[in-house]
Amino acid sequence: TKYVSLGSIMGAAVFPVMVFVWHANLPCILTALAMSFLVIFLHRKNIKRLIAGTESKFKVNKTNLTREDKEN
């Protein structure tokens, strides 16, 4: 989708689930939940822009590509 913020939010949402799946102890799960909440909370403006359809996409500037990248 080229939305970096969406990837960060999805990663944060999946992280505590994966910690739980790997049978981590309660302090690890609670820490993962807190970290996930913090990441999602800090991305609240990005979430609003994603919903509104105004979030900017990640673009690669072709002038910054190496010669090898341009050939591919």
Side-chain angles (χ1 to χ4, degrees):
T1 63
K2 296 186 180 183
Y3 294 113
V4 175
S5 61
L6 182 59
S8 300
I9 293 164
M10 294 303 295
V14 170
F15 179 61
V17 174
M18 295 308 298
V19 169
F20 177 77
V21 168
W22 288 329
H23 305 289
N25 56 23
L26 185 60
C28 288
I29 295 170
L30 294 177
T31 301
L33 284 169
M35 290 170 56
S36 178
F37 173 79
L38 182 62
V39 169
I40 293 170
F41 179 77
L42 293 175
H43 277 85
R44 63 191 181 279
K45 290 182 182 178
N46 300 80
I47 294 169
K48 289 178 184 176
R49 287 193 298 263
L50 283 166
I51 291 170
T54 58
E55 178 73 357
S56 58
K57 291 184 177 184
F58 178 77
K59 291 193 282 185
V60 175
N61 187 352
K62 292 188 181 209
T63 59
N64 291 338
L65 294 176
T66 65
R67 178 189 231 178
E68 182 179 317
D69 292 331
K70 289 179 184 179
E71 291 172 358
N72 294 331

